[in-house]
Amino acid sequence: MSLLELRSRLSEINALNAANGMMHWDQQCYMPPGGAGARATHVSILSKMAHEMFTDSATRKALDAAEKEVGGDSENEALCRVVRRDFELATKIPTALVAEKAKLQSEAHEAWVVARKSNDFKSFVPMLEGMFELTRQEAEHLGYKDHIYDALLDQYEEGATAADCRAMFDVLRDPIVKLVKDIKDNGKATSDAALTGDWDIAKQSKYTESLAKAIGFDFERGRQDVAPHPFCTGWSIGDTRITTRFQPYLGSAIFGTLHEAGHGMYEQGSPEAWDLGPLAGGVSLGIHESQSRLWENIVGRSKAFWSHFLPSLQAEFPALASYDLDTWYKMINQVEPSLIRVEADEVTYNLHIMIRFEIECAMLEGSVAIKDMPEVWNEKYKDYLGITPPNDSDGCLQDVHWSMGLIGYFPTYSMGNLLSYQFWTTMAQDIPNQDELMAQGNFAPIHNWLKQKIYSQGRRYAPKDLVMRVTNKPIGADDYLKGLTAKYREIYSI
Amino acid sequence: MSLLELRSRLSEINALNAANGMMHWDQQCYMPPGGAGARATHVSILSKMAHEMFTDSATRKALDAAEKEVGGDSENEALCRVVRRDFELATKIPTALVAEKAKLQSEAHEAWVVARKSNDFKSFVPMLEGMFELTRQEAEHLGYKDHIYDALLDQYEEGATAADCRAMFDVLRDPIVKLVKDIKDNGKATSDAALTGDWDIAKQSKYTESLAKAIGFDFERGRQDVAPHPFCTGWSIGDTRITTRFQPYLGSAIFGTLHEAGHGMYEQGSPEAWDLGPLAGGVSLGIHESQSRLWENIVGRSKAFWSHFLPSLQAEFPALASYDLDTWYKMINQVEPSLIRVEADEVTYNLHIMIRFEIECAMLEGSVAIKDMPEVWNEKYKDYLGITPPNDSDGCLQDVHWSMGLIGYFPTYSMGNLLSYQFWTTMAQDIPNQDELMAQGNFAPIHNWLKQKIYSQGRRYAPKDLVMRVTNKPIGADDYLKGLTAKYREIYSI
């Protein structure tokens, strides 16, 4: 009875969130410029309604009662567990602080856009100081045991801590810095210049959709549209949407689509019985990213994958017809230390994240003043990547996250990278012929394995528990480093 | 203070309605098949929330208080007047009856789809009987003075009555039946077969958008998408959306777009200060239809309009290059008594409406049994249009309205037709060179006149008052019959 009441209450909040999700999707994909003002108003009203409805004492009452009721049923126990977690996250921070941060977010975001455009970090400092201060307050309300960072990270990756991140990066740092250096000093580079051109947009759209379809993104229960930045969203298992963009670099659409389709298939793979309820969808940002990176990098940048798709790619884009499989494989796996995270290759990517994590910790601890961020940033880029940003716009101003108050978010990208290899390596025990299947264009066994082990679990198990259940070990860098090193040493003949 | 409270309450309801509006738009334009189930759930939850929030006693209290507060301010008085009207319409019908009708609507709609497909009126009779019965109950709750029909019609066209409709159709019947007969017996027909072909969809889309833009539909504050049935929707003055469809008959996209752009420009023309509030938007279905029909028929099917656009049309669609202006003008104005309302030409259209109105009255009065509808329907088609439907699918099963419980709705189409000519004739007093302007492709003076007189009035005046303010007389058939007769006697050389 209480469970029913809880579910009914949550279904109203779910409908409000679905409305907001669609408004966000539409804003990115179709909204005419004149719609912006009303959209902001509508989203703000609907968000407020959803937040108030969820944090109302009636939710707590229904949840308290439901928790007493479900003993023994593990699915309903899981439901209560995730609702409890969401409820605590939503109610621990005082409403006044939520409102203050929301206000600062919109101001800071605007200030960031201006500062980045005009390469003026100084003008952004007061906003950033305010944002770190409010986030620090948030963390105190959320509570933590060891490090203030833990409270923030937990919002995005349940149970993960700064110590986990430090351990992860400590293992990654040297081998990756060394691999990057080896590649730079001794590797045989292959030009990927041919990937940049004036590619037909309709063809890109058609071709990337065919790739998404091939790996198992269900277009009967989803679609792909064009947006300025690729993302995945959705409001039911039957309606999950991805976006892509078309740029001079053809890989942008191809690998972007595989990445978002990875997110999308995870969402599409929740059990139907859980649709519109709290157990449906992805369990954490790190696990979500592991699914997108698995399809983007391990599958989409593999030689086996392209042994199947290169002919159709070359038929669609004749300018690429002269490259053999081996050359093409090297072209799409070029490693180049660069300034911009979102354009980084698979090898250097985690170094970008490591830098951000170290800076976030220093800022939160107060060991470095926010005004000094550019120096720290540039030093770390020099140390880890061997390059120095010529300006702050391509340096510490490049990411939107901090202006939105998303502090403690970045490490989930690296966790996703590690986990993608960890899941893939585990899968190989059940499916030893992964390469052979990909070369046949037969992705169903791989998709089904992921669906059974991960997608269909939704939010049932906490991320750490899920990783343990699937791979029999906690998150680690072994599989990742082993896979990455083998792949790139071969590609660069080192 | 009370007014502020009322506005704040209404703004939440507005956001819920906007969300529902977007969900409807998306469902028609983009939603993948798998999204249908969740969409129905979300829409039903959001509708229920909006209805409950609006009909809550807190709204009544705020409204009661606001009404006392606004004396003297005519804009706020108007605001209270329309909210009071909406509130009474929403609260007079008991919740149980609303729910019962909603349930029957979804069943009856499904039954109608099947019945129409299989030409099986008999199977639809129980649903239709139920729908008329529930609608009768609704009317009793809404209340009326003279005829039960008045209560129903008033929902769509404030203040209009069955007597008004009867008077309107009594004036229309003989002259139109005679005009149709004259055209058939003595008119010189021009084949419009060349309008049907395998037209390029991208070209149709581009060309119809250029027409909508030319007459003043603002694409910075709106867009056009493709949907199975053309419609206009929106959720702010800055975001009004129209849809079109592409069929073998080229006129479908061209005149459909002009029609929906007419609706759209009305919505876009509300004062910005009223955006998201109760005074924004169209005041009634009849006035709304007058705006769509004015642009579709009076402007879009005029010789002057095409003297400007024919060259660009022929450049885009070379298959039409051989027709001179005079022939083209006749081609797009062919009159042909036909079975299907939505495909009817301008002259016969009102006969289709008249038949539906007469049948609705008879059904509501109980003077004809619902099971006998096909006979009555077919007799009337024989009498007024001189043709007999070969089956019920193309006869009394053709319209979706009754299956949705939209009884008392049809006459607003005819009111729109009459008013389009009445407004146009009034406009000619201020803008005597309407034809000259259209021939120049200069639609701004016409658009601005409509904006000033009608669009910018939003829902401020009741429809009857608006008509009186703009045209100095109540709705009548004079201008319509005069304009129509002159136009078609010339076209058919009779």
Side-chain angles (χ1 to χ4, degrees), chain A residues 14 22 26 34 42 220 241, chain B residues 14 26 34 39 42 220 241:
Chain A
N14 170 268
M22 182 167 305
D26 177 77
H42 287 144
E220 289 291 305
R241 306 194 181 183
Chain B
N14 169 269
D26 177 77
R39 184 60 46 90
H42 287 144
E220 289 291 304
R241 307 195 182 183

Side-chain angles (χ1 to χ4, degrees), chain A residues 60 264 277 370 382 437:
Chain A
R60 188 191 299 273
I370 286 182
K382 183 84 193 119
L437 291 167

Side-chain angles (χ1 to χ4, degrees), chain A residues 64-85:
Chain A
D64 286 347
E67 280 171 341
K68 283 180 197 127
E69 206 178 90
V70 297
D73 180 310
S74 69
E75 193 173 309
N76 285 333
E77 254 175 21
L79 186 143
C80 286
R81 192 185 66 75
V82 305
V83 177
R84 172 63 67 186
R85 170 176 154 79

Side-chain angles (χ1 to χ4, degrees), chain B residues 272-294:
Chain B
E272 270 187 50
W274 294 355
D275 199 15
L276 314 187
L279 287 179
V283 69
S284 73
L285 291 186
I287 305 284
H288 233 305
E289 193 71 5
S290 76
Q291 297 313 299
S292 56
R293 298 294 267 177
L294 185 149

Side-chain angles (χ1 to χ4, degrees), chain A residues 115-294:
Chain A
R116 190 184 181 206
K117 212 171 168 178
S118 54
N119 185 35
D120 181 7
F121 179 76
K122 224 170 143 182
S123 73
F124 186 49
V125 168
M127 295 287 174
L128 202 52
E129 283 174 346
M131 195 54 94
F132 269 86
E133 176 49 35
L134 292 188
T135 305
R136 231 178 260 122
Q137 291 178 23
E138 260 186 6
E140 296 302 335
H141 286 291
L142 291 169
Y144 54 88
K145 238 172 68 186
D146 295 328
H147 194 285
I148 187 168
Y149 199 87
D150 300 352
L152 302 173
L153 177 56
D154 176 78
Q155 298 173 94
Y156 312 110
E157 195 69 26
E158 186 181 355
T161 64
D164 292 340
C165 296
R166 232 175 277 119
M168 169 172 76
F169 291 123
D170 281 348
V171 176
L172 291 178
R173 192 177 294 107
D174 290 348
I176 293 190
V177 169
K178 183 173 183 318
L179 180 59
V180 171
K181 196 173 178 306
D182 275 0
I183 287 172
K184 206 180 156 195
D185 294 346
N186 311 310
K188 220 184 120 196
T190 307
S191 168
D192 64 354
L195 270 156
T196 300
D198 184 19
W199 308 106
D200 184 88
I201 283 177
K203 282 187 178 186
Q204 286 190 72
S205 170
K206 191 181 138 215
Y207 193 73
T208 55
E209 275 201 21
S210 77
L211 291 183
K213 204 173 166 180
I215 62 172
F217 182 83
D218 183 354
F219 281 91
E220 289 291 305
R221 299 187 293 125
R223 45 180 294 122
Q224 172 167 275
D225 295 274
V226 179
H229 299 279
F231 65 95
C232 170
T233 185
W235 27 88
S236 99
I237 293 164
D239 196 351
T240 298
R241 306 194 181 183
I242 58 176
T243 73
T244 191
R245 58 178 169 183
F246 303 115
Q247 303 202 305
Y249 178 66
L250 184 60
S252 180
I254 291 177
F255 300 109
T257 295
L258 291 171
H259 181 101
E260 299 308 329
H263 284 305
M265 294 187 297
Y266 188 6
E267 294 288 325
Q268 288 183 332
S270 280
E272 270 186 50
W274 293 356
D275 199 14
L276 313 187
L279 287 180
V283 70
S284 73
L285 292 187
I287 306 284
H288 234 304
E289 193 71 4
S290 77
Q291 297 312 298
S292 56
R293 298 293 266 178
L294 185 150

Side-chain angles (χ1 to χ4, degrees), chain A residues 11 14-16 18-19 22-23 25-26 30-35 38-39 42 45 49 53 220 222-223 235-236 238-239 241, chain B residues 11 14-16 18-19 22 25-26 30-35 38-39 42 45 49 53 220 222-223 235-236 238-239 241:
Chain A
S11 73
N14 170 268
L16 290 168
M22 182 167 305
M23 286 197 171
W25 170 84
D26 177 77
Y30 293 106
M31 189 184 80
R39 183 61 46 89
H42 287 144
I45 291 172
M49 284 173 71
M53 204 175 278
E220 289 291 305
R223 45 180 294 122
W235 27 88
S236 99
D239 196 351
R241 306 194 181 183
Chain B
S11 73
N14 169 269
L16 290 168
M22 182 168 306
W25 171 83
D26 177 77
Y30 293 105
M31 190 184 79
R39 184 60 46 90
H42 287 144
I45 291 173
M49 284 173 71
M53 204 176 278
E220 289 291 304
R223 45 180 294 123
W235 27 89
S236 99
D239 197 350
R241 307 195 182 183

